[in-house]
Amino acid sequence: MLEVKSLTKRYGQFEAVTSVDFALEPGEIMGFIGSNGAGKTTTIKMLATLLEPTHGTALLNGRPLDGNDLEIRKQIGYMPDFFGLYEDIKVWEYLDMFATLYGVEVNDRPRVIDEVLELTDLGFKKQAFARSLSRGMQQRLCLARCLVHNPTMLLLDEPASGLDPRARAELKELIGELGRMGKIVIVSSHILPELADFSTVVGIIERGQMLAFGKVNDVVRSLTPAKKIQVKLLDRGAEASMFLHSKEHVSGTQFLNPNEFRFDFTGTLEDQHALLKAMIDAGFPIIEFMDEEADLEDLFMQVTKGALN
Amino acid sequence: MSFIENIVNRIPNKPMFFEVRQQLRRSSLESATGGSNKLGSIIGVIILLLIVGSNLIMSARYIQVGYLMFILPVLATFLLPAMVSPVIAGEFQRRSLEQLLAAPLSSLDIVKGKALRAVVPVLMMLAVVFLMILLIGVGKIFQGHEPENGVVSPFISLPVSTILFFVWSYFVTGLTVFISSVTKSTSAALLASVGILVGLVFVVPAIIIPLSTVVFGPTVIGYLAAMHPAGMVAFAVLRDNSPEPISLPAVIAILVVSNCIYLAFGTLFLNLSAKKLGTYRKTGFEN
């Protein structure tokens, strides 16, 4: 389990990260959202023991993430937002070097290297020079490097930046798989749709402050008392809208087309059921009546609105 | 498993050797030739060594072994900065240092590992020079030359100059690594370290020693000059030719003191480099 308590980083008068708190259980994937310069990378570097916090602590399975504790680093896999590769090193040699550094036994190394290459789908590039790989493959190689020592926690800083759509999709799948393997994964990005698919929790940081943290739907619910419901009819769209507005808990209709609109609803699930039943009883030709999925982008804009103003 | 990989796997599993493994793989004939002409390459190198070696032995009577001892420290002065200056600065420029700092290695382990990798090829090159000098020495013995003929026995000069060479190399490496960790730029590190070393080896003695000789006399300055990386070799090898006889204990004391000074400074610089890396954990890389 990762517990972060009051984590703060100050550079002179400037506070890059201000008293960040959160906790993650094994298997949880946290989408760490924030605009450029919000404090994502600083927070991740503190968790990777690459930056000493000015104040606060982070505990991984009860052990402080302290830069002087070399052993704790064996539990962390850190992938920086930008990384360089050596000119004269092959894929398997690169992994072998880091396996050695992380104390993987010499007899286990070939097996471990084959396993992480298979997981990252790079087995066919084992003998290639690392610098000759495409950007997407280099990202996967870096991820493979983070996995050679089987860490408890993975810190991935902007892992999908610069990748084409296919490489992004593959990376998403891989990160999801890592979560299923029981690892704590923190993935930062300022491109929100890429986090939405696999994050089990989100943390929204802006100007160094964690504005929201929790499961995506919980965060939405805590921030927006009204949920959005989308309705699609064969016809009589305007009439249906007026009908709904005569009911309790309904407000803010927004038409997508003449027979399709969404509205804000503040009632319970029972109220929602009653509303749908009333529409059917009134004879409206309903095709769809559904909750809109929480949209990370909307959520982010809403959460950061106050901070940005 | 290949021959080289067997050797690589026998290297102790200590952090400071982490890059030497890679260096060995890259330096191996198998890597250089892609594994296809390994036998041909080995035969070629052996033939080359035989030709050069036999020529050296044949012409050994005309070469003064003692003077050849100057070559090693001077070569180290110029070769080592070229190889060592990118070790930390290159990691900054390549943006690969973070990966190492995130690994379970101390800053000193990183500095030692990087330095050792850079030094290994230079030492391999200089080992060839050393082998040539050894061949000349052996050639002289075969040709009946005695130390009293003005030629110092290679059995004395070679071990002494070897120790001096390694100690001086250690100092040069430490200094260059430190400069490399401060400048964060390979070219700046190379210029700065070569500048400082040229100043230490050539400029300072050329100005200070002649001036000091007038004030203090040749004997005192002789002792001081002996602490110079090339001067101490000359001092050890040619002491019998000095105008005032110097006792053997004095020679040994001078050599020990000067070597200790170079060792201490080399160690100090390596530790300062590690400390510098440690400060990046507090301030971040961009600062």
Side-chain angles (χ1 to χ4, degrees), chain A residues 9 45 49 51-52 70 73 84 86 88 93-94 96 100-102, chain B residues 18 22 25-26 91 94-95 98-99 101 103-105 117 281-282:
Chain A
K9 182 66 189 177
K45 280 188 178 176
T49 76
L51 208 51
E52 198 176 291
L70 300 184
R73 293 190 208 161
Y86 303 99
D88 58 349
E93 290 171 341
Y94 178 72
D96 183 73
T100 310
L101 291 183
Y102 279 92
Chain B
F18 72 95
Q22 185 54 25
R25 285 181 184 134
R26 283 289 145 262
E91 295 282 331
R94 207 184 298 114
R95 299 188 71 173
E98 271 194 325
Q99 302 168 56
L101 285 174
L105 292 170
R117 176 195 167 135
R281 288 186 191 282
K282 288 196 174 71

PDB file of all heavy atoms in Angstrom, chain A residues 9 45 49 51-52 70 73 84 86 88 93-94 96 100-102, chain B residues 18 22 25-26 91 94-95 98-99 101 103-105 117 281-282:
ATOM      1  N   LYS A   9       6.904  20.115  -1.709  1.00  0.00           N
ATOM      2  CA  LYS A   9       8.226  20.457  -2.241  1.00  0.00           C
ATOM      3  C   LYS A   9       8.277  21.954  -2.503  1.00  0.00           C
ATOM      4  O   LYS A   9       7.439  22.501  -3.214  1.00  0.00           O
ATOM      5  CB  LYS A   9       8.502  19.684  -3.538  1.00  0.00           C
ATOM      6  CG  LYS A   9       9.890  19.947  -4.124  1.00  0.00           C
ATOM      7  CD  LYS A   9      10.984  19.435  -3.237  1.00  0.00           C
ATOM      8  CE  LYS A   9      12.355  19.880  -3.677  1.00  0.00           C
ATOM      9  NZ  LYS A   9      13.412  19.438  -2.762  1.00  0.00           N
ATOM     10  N   LYS A  45       8.606  12.337  -8.871  1.00  0.00           N
ATOM     11  CA  LYS A  45      10.044  12.236  -8.548  1.00  0.00           C
ATOM     12  C   LYS A  45      10.263  12.069  -7.045  1.00  0.00           C
ATOM     13  O   LYS A  45      11.184  11.371  -6.633  1.00  0.00           O
ATOM     14  CB  LYS A  45      10.781  13.476  -9.056  1.00  0.00           C
ATOM     15  CG  LYS A  45      11.083  13.411 -10.538  1.00  0.00           C
ATOM     16  CD  LYS A  45      11.963  14.542 -10.974  1.00  0.00           C
ATOM     17  CE  LYS A  45      12.288  14.407 -12.458  1.00  0.00           C
ATOM     18  NZ  LYS A  45      13.062  15.513 -12.972  1.00  0.00           N
ATOM     19  N   THR A  49      12.045   8.685  -5.110  1.00  0.00           N
ATOM     20  CA  THR A  49      13.231   9.018  -4.286  1.00  0.00           C
ATOM     21  C   THR A  49      14.259   9.844  -5.058  1.00  0.00           C
ATOM     22  O   THR A  49      15.420   9.899  -4.677  1.00  0.00           O
ATOM     23  CB  THR A  49      13.935   7.780  -3.669  1.00  0.00           C
ATOM     24  OG1 THR A  49      14.690   7.112  -4.672  1.00  0.00           O
ATOM     25  CG2 THR A  49      12.985   6.823  -3.018  1.00  0.00           C
ATOM     26  N   LEU A  51      13.866  13.087  -5.595  1.00  0.00           N
ATOM     27  CA  LEU A  51      13.749  14.455  -5.109  1.00  0.00           C
ATOM     28  C   LEU A  51      13.341  14.377  -3.640  1.00  0.00           C
ATOM     29  O   LEU A  51      12.422  13.627  -3.295  1.00  0.00           O
ATOM     30  CB  LEU A  51      12.680  15.190  -5.933  1.00  0.00           C
ATOM     31  CG  LEU A  51      12.767  16.680  -6.106  1.00  0.00           C
ATOM     32  CD1 LEU A  51      14.138  17.127  -6.586  1.00  0.00           C
ATOM     33  CD2 LEU A  51      11.710  17.153  -7.088  1.00  0.00           C
ATOM     34  N   GLU A  52      14.041  15.125  -2.828  1.00  0.00           N
ATOM     35  CA  GLU A  52      13.760  15.063  -1.399  1.00  0.00           C
ATOM     36  C   GLU A  52      12.596  16.004  -1.064  1.00  0.00           C
ATOM     37  O   GLU A  52      12.667  17.193  -1.392  1.00  0.00           O
ATOM     38  CB  GLU A  52      15.019  15.508  -0.653  1.00  0.00           C
ATOM     39  CG  GLU A  52      15.055  15.116   0.793  1.00  0.00           C
ATOM     40  CD  GLU A  52      16.382  15.517   1.407  1.00  0.00           C
ATOM     41  OE1 GLU A  52      17.416  14.915   1.059  1.00  0.00           O
ATOM     42  OE2 GLU A  52      16.386  16.460   2.196  1.00  0.00           O
ATOM     43  N   LEU A  70      18.537   2.434  -0.062  1.00  0.00           N
ATOM     44  CA  LEU A  70      18.722   1.831  -1.383  1.00  0.00           C
ATOM     45  C   LEU A  70      17.759   0.667  -1.608  1.00  0.00           C
ATOM     46  O   LEU A  70      17.324   0.417  -2.727  1.00  0.00           O
ATOM     47  CB  LEU A  70      20.166   1.363  -1.558  1.00  0.00           C
ATOM     48  CG  LEU A  70      21.268   2.423  -1.464  1.00  0.00           C
ATOM     49  CD1 LEU A  70      22.627   1.818  -1.747  1.00  0.00           C
ATOM     50  CD2 LEU A  70      21.012   3.580  -2.413  1.00  0.00           C
ATOM     51  N   ARG A  73      14.284   1.267  -3.129  1.00  0.00           N
ATOM     52  CA  ARG A  73      14.227   1.543  -4.577  1.00  0.00           C
ATOM     53  C   ARG A  73      13.965   0.267  -5.377  1.00  0.00           C
ATOM     54  O   ARG A  73      13.527   0.331  -6.514  1.00  0.00           O
ATOM     55  CB  ARG A  73      15.540   2.176  -5.041  1.00  0.00           C
ATOM     56  CG  ARG A  73      15.740   3.557  -4.462  1.00  0.00           C
ATOM     57  CD  ARG A  73      16.905   4.244  -5.126  1.00  0.00           C
ATOM     58  NE  ARG A  73      17.515   5.198  -4.224  1.00  0.00           N
ATOM     59  CZ  ARG A  73      18.730   5.688  -4.368  1.00  0.00           C
ATOM     60  NH1 ARG A  73      19.473   5.303  -5.379  1.00  0.00           N
ATOM     61  NH2 ARG A  73      19.216   6.564  -3.528  1.00  0.00           N
ATOM     62  N   GLY A  84      16.954   8.953 -22.026  1.00  0.00           N
ATOM     63  CA  GLY A  84      17.916   8.697 -23.084  1.00  0.00           C
ATOM     64  C   GLY A  84      18.388   7.259 -23.038  1.00  0.00           C
ATOM     65  O   GLY A  84      18.362   6.617 -21.991  1.00  0.00           O
ATOM     66  N   TYR A  86      21.576   4.550 -24.264  1.00  0.00           N
ATOM     67  CA  TYR A  86      22.979   4.525 -24.665  1.00  0.00           C
ATOM     68  C   TYR A  86      23.112   4.103 -26.125  1.00  0.00           C
ATOM     69  O   TYR A  86      22.314   3.304 -26.611  1.00  0.00           O
ATOM     70  CB  TYR A  86      23.772   3.572 -23.769  1.00  0.00           C
ATOM     71  CG  TYR A  86      23.660   3.928 -22.307  1.00  0.00           C
ATOM     72  CD1 TYR A  86      22.781   3.269 -21.477  1.00  0.00           C
ATOM     73  CD2 TYR A  86      24.428   4.957 -21.782  1.00  0.00           C
ATOM     74  CE1 TYR A  86      22.661   3.613 -20.141  1.00  0.00           C
ATOM     75  CE2 TYR A  86      24.308   5.308 -20.450  1.00  0.00           C
ATOM     76  CZ  TYR A  86      23.423   4.629 -19.639  1.00  0.00           C
ATOM     77  OH  TYR A  86      23.304   4.990 -18.325  1.00  0.00           O
ATOM     78  N   ASP A  88      25.406   2.316 -27.702  1.00  0.00           N
ATOM     79  CA  ASP A  88      26.005   1.040 -28.083  1.00  0.00           C
ATOM     80  C   ASP A  88      25.449  -0.126 -27.274  1.00  0.00           C
ATOM     81  O   ASP A  88      26.181  -1.002 -26.863  1.00  0.00           O
ATOM     82  CB  ASP A  88      27.527   1.125 -27.891  1.00  0.00           C
ATOM     83  CG  ASP A  88      27.883   1.472 -26.458  1.00  0.00           C
ATOM     84  OD1 ASP A  88      26.972   1.841 -25.706  1.00  0.00           O
ATOM     85  OD2 ASP A  88      29.056   1.368 -26.092  1.00  0.00           O
ATOM     86  N   GLU A  93      20.829  -6.298 -23.529  1.00  0.00           N
ATOM     87  CA  GLU A  93      21.932  -5.828 -22.683  1.00  0.00           C
ATOM     88  C   GLU A  93      21.459  -4.707 -21.753  1.00  0.00           C
ATOM     89  O   GLU A  93      21.869  -4.617 -20.595  1.00  0.00           O
ATOM     90  CB  GLU A  93      23.086  -5.324 -23.551  1.00  0.00           C
ATOM     91  CG  GLU A  93      23.811  -6.439 -24.282  1.00  0.00           C
ATOM     92  CD  GLU A  93      24.804  -5.916 -25.310  1.00  0.00           C
ATOM     93  OE1 GLU A  93      24.693  -4.742 -25.722  1.00  0.00           O
ATOM     94  OE2 GLU A  93      25.669  -6.685 -25.713  1.00  0.00           O
ATOM     95  N   TYR A  94      20.599  -3.852 -22.302  1.00  0.00           N
ATOM     96  CA  TYR A  94      20.034  -2.767 -21.507  1.00  0.00           C
ATOM     97  C   TYR A  94      19.268  -3.331 -20.305  1.00  0.00           C
ATOM     98  O   TYR A  94      19.430  -2.884 -19.167  1.00  0.00           O
ATOM     99  CB  TYR A  94      19.113  -1.950 -22.412  1.00  0.00           C
ATOM    100  CG  TYR A  94      18.388  -0.805 -21.764  1.00  0.00           C
ATOM    101  CD1 TYR A  94      19.048   0.351 -21.385  1.00  0.00           C
ATOM    102  CD2 TYR A  94      17.002  -0.864 -21.557  1.00  0.00           C
ATOM    103  CE1 TYR A  94      18.361   1.413 -20.815  1.00  0.00           C
ATOM    104  CE2 TYR A  94      16.314   0.197 -20.993  1.00  0.00           C
ATOM    105  CZ  TYR A  94      16.998   1.331 -20.622  1.00  0.00           C
ATOM    106  OH  TYR A  94      16.319   2.372 -20.056  1.00  0.00           O
ATOM    107  N   ASP A  96      19.600  -6.352 -19.108  1.00  0.00           N
ATOM    108  CA  ASP A  96      20.536  -7.122 -18.284  1.00  0.00           C
ATOM    109  C   ASP A  96      21.281  -6.187 -17.319  1.00  0.00           C
ATOM    110  O   ASP A  96      21.502  -6.520 -16.154  1.00  0.00           O
ATOM    111  CB  ASP A  96      21.535  -7.844 -19.197  1.00  0.00           C
ATOM    112  CG  ASP A  96      22.499  -8.717 -18.414  1.00  0.00           C
ATOM    113  OD1 ASP A  96      22.064  -9.771 -17.929  1.00  0.00           O
ATOM    114  OD2 ASP A  96      23.674  -8.325 -18.278  1.00  0.00           O
ATOM    115  N   THR A 100      20.965  -6.391 -13.309  1.00  0.00           N
ATOM    116  CA  THR A 100      22.142  -6.507 -12.446  1.00  0.00           C
ATOM    117  C   THR A 100      22.098  -5.444 -11.353  1.00  0.00           C
ATOM    118  O   THR A 100      22.353  -5.733 -10.185  1.00  0.00           O
ATOM    119  CB  THR A 100      23.428  -6.326 -13.278  1.00  0.00           C
ATOM    120  OG1 THR A 100      23.363  -7.177 -14.407  1.00  0.00           O
ATOM    121  CG2 THR A 100      24.666  -6.641 -12.476  1.00  0.00           C
ATOM    122  N   LEU A 101      21.796  -4.219 -11.772  1.00  0.00           N
ATOM    123  CA  LEU A 101      21.780  -3.119 -10.804  1.00  0.00           C
ATOM    124  C   LEU A 101      20.739  -3.352  -9.715  1.00  0.00           C
ATOM    125  O   LEU A 101      20.931  -2.963  -8.573  1.00  0.00           O
ATOM    126  CB  LEU A 101      21.478  -1.794 -11.505  1.00  0.00           C
ATOM    127  CG  LEU A 101      22.544  -1.252 -12.438  1.00  0.00           C
ATOM    128  CD1 LEU A 101      22.143   0.095 -12.991  1.00  0.00           C
ATOM    129  CD2 LEU A 101      23.866  -1.125 -11.721  1.00  0.00           C
ATOM    130  N   TYR A 102      19.634  -3.965 -10.101  1.00  0.00           N
ATOM    131  CA  TYR A 102      18.562  -4.179  -9.117  1.00  0.00           C
ATOM    132  C   TYR A 102      18.731  -5.510  -8.374  1.00  0.00           C
ATOM    133  O   TYR A 102      17.836  -5.925  -7.652  1.00  0.00           O
ATOM    134  CB  TYR A 102      17.199  -4.104  -9.804  1.00  0.00           C
ATOM    135  CG  TYR A 102      16.727  -2.679 -10.012  1.00  0.00           C
ATOM    136  CD1 TYR A 102      17.003  -2.000 -11.181  1.00  0.00           C
ATOM    137  CD2 TYR A 102      16.028  -2.003  -9.019  1.00  0.00           C
ATOM    138  CE1 TYR A 102      16.583  -0.692 -11.378  1.00  0.00           C
ATOM    139  CE2 TYR A 102      15.606  -0.692  -9.202  1.00  0.00           C
ATOM    140  CZ  TYR A 102      15.884  -0.044 -10.373  1.00  0.00           C
ATOM    141  OH  TYR A 102      15.470   1.262 -10.554  1.00  0.00           O
TER     142      TYR A 102
ATOM    143  N   PHE B  18      29.071  -2.264 -12.833  1.00  0.00           N
ATOM    144  CA  PHE B  18      27.877  -2.424 -13.656  1.00  0.00           C
ATOM    145  C   PHE B  18      28.103  -2.040 -15.111  1.00  0.00           C
ATOM    146  O   PHE B  18      27.486  -2.589 -16.006  1.00  0.00           O
ATOM    147  CB  PHE B  18      26.688  -1.657 -13.061  1.00  0.00           C
ATOM    148  CG  PHE B  18      26.735  -0.161 -13.170  1.00  0.00           C
ATOM    149  CD1 PHE B  18      26.101   0.481 -14.211  1.00  0.00           C
ATOM    150  CD2 PHE B  18      27.380   0.599 -12.214  1.00  0.00           C
ATOM    151  CE1 PHE B  18      26.112   1.858 -14.302  1.00  0.00           C
ATOM    152  CE2 PHE B  18      27.395   1.976 -12.292  1.00  0.00           C
ATOM    153  CZ  PHE B  18      26.764   2.596 -13.346  1.00  0.00           C
ATOM    154  N   GLN B  22      29.276  -4.099 -19.696  1.00  0.00           N
ATOM    155  CA  GLN B  22      28.868  -3.610 -21.008  1.00  0.00           C
ATOM    156  C   GLN B  22      30.088  -3.261 -21.851  1.00  0.00           C
ATOM    157  O   GLN B  22      30.148  -3.534 -23.047  1.00  0.00           O
ATOM    158  CB  GLN B  22      27.964  -2.390 -20.815  1.00  0.00           C
ATOM    159  CG  GLN B  22      27.372  -1.840 -22.069  1.00  0.00           C
ATOM    160  CD  GLN B  22      26.630  -2.903 -22.851  1.00  0.00           C
ATOM    161  OE1 GLN B  22      26.167  -3.892 -22.304  1.00  0.00           O
ATOM    162  NE2 GLN B  22      26.554  -2.709 -24.149  1.00  0.00           N
ATOM    163  N   ARG B  25      31.636  -6.337 -23.250  1.00  0.00           N
ATOM    164  CA  ARG B  25      30.877  -6.866 -24.390  1.00  0.00           C
ATOM    165  C   ARG B  25      31.192  -6.082 -25.651  1.00  0.00           C
ATOM    166  O   ARG B  25      31.396  -6.622 -26.717  1.00  0.00           O
ATOM    167  CB  ARG B  25      29.380  -6.780 -24.108  1.00  0.00           C
ATOM    168  CG  ARG B  25      28.894  -7.814 -23.138  1.00  0.00           C
ATOM    169  CD  ARG B  25      27.402  -7.659 -22.933  1.00  0.00           C
ATOM    170  NE  ARG B  25      26.942  -8.602 -21.927  1.00  0.00           N
ATOM    171  CZ  ARG B  25      26.134  -8.284 -20.929  1.00  0.00           C
ATOM    172  NH1 ARG B  25      25.698  -7.054 -20.796  1.00  0.00           N
ATOM    173  NH2 ARG B  25      25.762  -9.187 -20.070  1.00  0.00           N
ATOM    174  N   ARG B  26      31.206  -4.756 -25.495  1.00  0.00           N
ATOM    175  CA  ARG B  26      31.445  -3.905 -26.663  1.00  0.00           C
ATOM    176  C   ARG B  26      32.890  -4.003 -27.158  1.00  0.00           C
ATOM    177  O   ARG B  26      33.160  -3.865 -28.340  1.00  0.00           O
ATOM    178  CB  ARG B  26      31.130  -2.438 -26.326  1.00  0.00           C
ATOM    179  CG  ARG B  26      29.696  -2.144 -26.298  1.00  0.00           C
ATOM    180  CD  ARG B  26      29.075  -2.166 -27.671  1.00  0.00           C
ATOM    181  NE  ARG B  26      27.721  -2.681 -27.616  1.00  0.00           N
ATOM    182  CZ  ARG B  26      27.397  -3.931 -27.888  1.00  0.00           C
ATOM    183  NH1 ARG B  26      28.281  -4.790 -28.296  1.00  0.00           N
ATOM    184  NH2 ARG B  26      26.165  -4.349 -27.790  1.00  0.00           N
ATOM    185  N   GLU B  91      25.729  11.685 -19.357  1.00  0.00           N
ATOM    186  CA  GLU B  91      24.456  11.186 -18.809  1.00  0.00           C
ATOM    187  C   GLU B  91      23.440  12.320 -18.717  1.00  0.00           C
ATOM    188  O   GLU B  91      22.258  12.118 -18.971  1.00  0.00           O
ATOM    189  CB  GLU B  91      24.677  10.584 -17.413  1.00  0.00           C
ATOM    190  CG  GLU B  91      25.554   9.355 -17.395  1.00  0.00           C
ATOM    191  CD  GLU B  91      24.822   8.098 -17.832  1.00  0.00           C
ATOM    192  OE1 GLU B  91      23.610   8.003 -17.635  1.00  0.00           O
ATOM    193  OE2 GLU B  91      25.474   7.212 -18.402  1.00  0.00           O
ATOM    194  N   ARG B  94      22.392  13.118 -22.340  1.00  0.00           N
ATOM    195  CA  ARG B  94      21.579  12.024 -22.892  1.00  0.00           C
ATOM    196  C   ARG B  94      20.260  11.880 -22.130  1.00  0.00           C
ATOM    197  O   ARG B  94      19.370  11.182 -22.540  1.00  0.00           O
ATOM    198  CB  ARG B  94      22.386  10.724 -22.793  1.00  0.00           C
ATOM    199  CG  ARG B  94      22.051   9.678 -23.795  1.00  0.00           C
ATOM    200  CD  ARG B  94      22.834   8.403 -23.532  1.00  0.00           C
ATOM    201  NE  ARG B  94      24.255   8.576 -23.638  1.00  0.00           N
ATOM    202  CZ  ARG B  94      25.125   8.465 -22.648  1.00  0.00           C
ATOM    203  NH1 ARG B  94      24.720   8.151 -21.428  1.00  0.00           N
ATOM    204  NH2 ARG B  94      26.405   8.635 -22.838  1.00  0.00           N
ATOM    205  N   ARG B  95      20.207  12.506 -20.964  1.00  0.00           N
ATOM    206  CA  ARG B  95      19.078  12.405 -20.039  1.00  0.00           C
ATOM    207  C   ARG B  95      18.860  10.970 -19.585  1.00  0.00           C
ATOM    208  O   ARG B  95      17.732  10.472 -19.539  1.00  0.00           O
ATOM    209  CB  ARG B  95      17.814  12.997 -20.649  1.00  0.00           C
ATOM    210  CG  ARG B  95      17.982  14.472 -20.964  1.00  0.00           C
ATOM    211  CD  ARG B  95      16.710  15.117 -21.388  1.00  0.00           C
ATOM    212  NE  ARG B  95      15.777  15.251 -20.279  1.00  0.00           N
ATOM    213  CZ  ARG B  95      14.627  15.913 -20.366  1.00  0.00           C
ATOM    214  NH1 ARG B  95      14.291  16.497 -21.480  1.00  0.00           N
ATOM    215  NH2 ARG B  95      13.825  16.005 -19.345  1.00  0.00           N
ATOM    216  N   GLU B  98      18.796   9.943 -14.632  1.00  0.00           N
ATOM    217  CA  GLU B  98      17.683   9.680 -13.712  1.00  0.00           C
ATOM    218  C   GLU B  98      17.461   8.181 -13.513  1.00  0.00           C
ATOM    219  O   GLU B  98      17.161   7.739 -12.415  1.00  0.00           O
ATOM    220  CB  GLU B  98      16.400  10.290 -14.260  1.00  0.00           C
ATOM    221  CG  GLU B  98      16.201  11.724 -13.820  1.00  0.00           C
ATOM    222  CD  GLU B  98      14.799  12.189 -14.093  1.00  0.00           C
ATOM    223  OE1 GLU B  98      14.229  11.771 -15.102  1.00  0.00           O
ATOM    224  OE2 GLU B  98      14.291  12.989 -13.295  1.00  0.00           O
ATOM    225  N   GLN B  99      17.609   7.428 -14.609  1.00  0.00           N
ATOM    226  CA  GLN B  99      17.390   5.977 -14.515  1.00  0.00           C
ATOM    227  C   GLN B  99      18.385   5.352 -13.548  1.00  0.00           C
ATOM    228  O   GLN B  99      18.060   4.426 -12.819  1.00  0.00           O
ATOM    229  CB  GLN B  99      17.566   5.323 -15.881  1.00  0.00           C
ATOM    230  CG  GLN B  99      16.649   5.886 -16.943  1.00  0.00           C
ATOM    231  CD  GLN B  99      17.050   5.427 -18.330  1.00  0.00           C
ATOM    232  OE1 GLN B  99      17.150   4.241 -18.590  1.00  0.00           O
ATOM    233  NE2 GLN B  99      17.288   6.352 -19.229  1.00  0.00           N
ATOM    234  N   LEU B 101      19.994   7.041 -11.081  1.00  0.00           N
ATOM    235  CA  LEU B 101      19.770   7.542  -9.728  1.00  0.00           C
ATOM    236  C   LEU B 101      18.563   6.877  -9.074  1.00  0.00           C
ATOM    237  O   LEU B 101      18.475   6.821  -7.851  1.00  0.00           O
ATOM    238  CB  LEU B 101      19.578   9.060  -9.763  1.00  0.00           C
ATOM    239  CG  LEU B 101      20.849   9.885  -9.971  1.00  0.00           C
ATOM    240  CD1 LEU B 101      20.513  11.359 -10.137  1.00  0.00           C
ATOM    241  CD2 LEU B 101      21.828   9.724  -8.822  1.00  0.00           C
ATOM    242  N   ALA B 103      17.913   3.753  -9.441  1.00  0.00           N
ATOM    243  CA  ALA B 103      18.306   2.365  -9.141  1.00  0.00           C
ATOM    244  C   ALA B 103      18.912   2.289  -7.736  1.00  0.00           C
ATOM    245  O   ALA B 103      19.338   3.304  -7.188  1.00  0.00           O
ATOM    246  CB  ALA B 103      19.315   1.886 -10.180  1.00  0.00           C
ATOM    247  N   PRO B 104      18.937   1.083  -7.178  1.00  0.00           N
ATOM    248  CA  PRO B 104      19.480   0.959  -5.813  1.00  0.00           C
ATOM    249  C   PRO B 104      21.007   1.055  -5.787  1.00  0.00           C
ATOM    250  O   PRO B 104      21.703   0.104  -5.426  1.00  0.00           O
ATOM    251  CB  PRO B 104      18.990  -0.425  -5.358  1.00  0.00           C
ATOM    252  CG  PRO B 104      18.733  -1.171  -6.600  1.00  0.00           C
ATOM    253  CD  PRO B 104      18.377  -0.187  -7.663  1.00  0.00           C
ATOM    254  N   LEU B 105      21.502   2.188  -6.206  1.00  0.00           N
ATOM    255  CA  LEU B 105      22.949   2.451  -6.218  1.00  0.00           C
ATOM    256  C   LEU B 105      23.196   3.735  -5.450  1.00  0.00           C
ATOM    257  O   LEU B 105      22.416   4.687  -5.576  1.00  0.00           O
ATOM    258  CB  LEU B 105      23.433   2.702  -7.645  1.00  0.00           C
ATOM    259  CG  LEU B 105      23.435   1.594  -8.659  1.00  0.00           C
ATOM    260  CD1 LEU B 105      23.719   2.158 -10.036  1.00  0.00           C
ATOM    261  CD2 LEU B 105      24.513   0.593  -8.301  1.00  0.00           C
ATOM    262  N   ARG B 117      34.238   2.319 -16.261  1.00  0.00           N
ATOM    263  CA  ARG B 117      33.928   1.985 -17.654  1.00  0.00           C
ATOM    264  C   ARG B 117      34.774   2.839 -18.605  1.00  0.00           C
ATOM    265  O   ARG B 117      35.261   2.376 -19.616  1.00  0.00           O
ATOM    266  CB  ARG B 117      32.446   2.213 -17.942  1.00  0.00           C
ATOM    267  CG  ARG B 117      32.154   1.952 -19.402  1.00  0.00           C
ATOM    268  CD  ARG B 117      30.831   2.462 -19.893  1.00  0.00           C
ATOM    269  NE  ARG B 117      30.852   2.401 -21.344  1.00  0.00           N
ATOM    270  CZ  ARG B 117      29.884   1.951 -22.105  1.00  0.00           C
ATOM    271  NH1 ARG B 117      28.792   1.521 -21.559  1.00  0.00           N
ATOM    272  NH2 ARG B 117      29.990   1.931 -23.406  1.00  0.00           N
ATOM    273  N   ARG B 281      19.333  15.424  -5.845  1.00  0.00           N
ATOM    274  CA  ARG B 281      18.134  14.896  -5.192  1.00  0.00           C
ATOM    275  C   ARG B 281      17.422  15.990  -4.407  1.00  0.00           C
ATOM    276  O   ARG B 281      16.232  15.902  -4.150  1.00  0.00           O
ATOM    277  CB  ARG B 281      18.510  13.776  -4.218  1.00  0.00           C
ATOM    278  CG  ARG B 281      18.926  12.517  -4.891  1.00  0.00           C
ATOM    279  CD  ARG B 281      19.138  11.428  -3.852  1.00  0.00           C
ATOM    280  NE  ARG B 281      19.786  10.303  -4.477  1.00  0.00           N
ATOM    281  CZ  ARG B 281      19.155   9.423  -5.230  1.00  0.00           C
ATOM    282  NH1 ARG B 281      17.864   9.539  -5.431  1.00  0.00           N
ATOM    283  NH2 ARG B 281      19.818   8.431  -5.779  1.00  0.00           N
ATOM    284  N   LYS B 282      18.182  16.968  -3.955  1.00  0.00           N
ATOM    285  CA  LYS B 282      17.567  18.055  -3.174  1.00  0.00           C
ATOM    286  C   LYS B 282      17.053  19.164  -4.073  1.00  0.00           C
ATOM    287  O   LYS B 282      15.996  19.723  -3.863  1.00  0.00           O
ATOM    288  CB  LYS B 282      18.598  18.628  -2.196  1.00  0.00           C
ATOM    289  CG  LYS B 282      18.920  17.706  -1.032  1.00  0.00           C
ATOM    290  CD  LYS B 282      19.615  18.479   0.071  1.00  0.00           C
ATOM    291  CE  LYS B 282      19.815  17.618   1.305  1.00  0.00           C
ATOM    292  NZ  LYS B 282      20.799  16.589   1.145  1.00  0.00           N
TER     293      LYS B 282
END
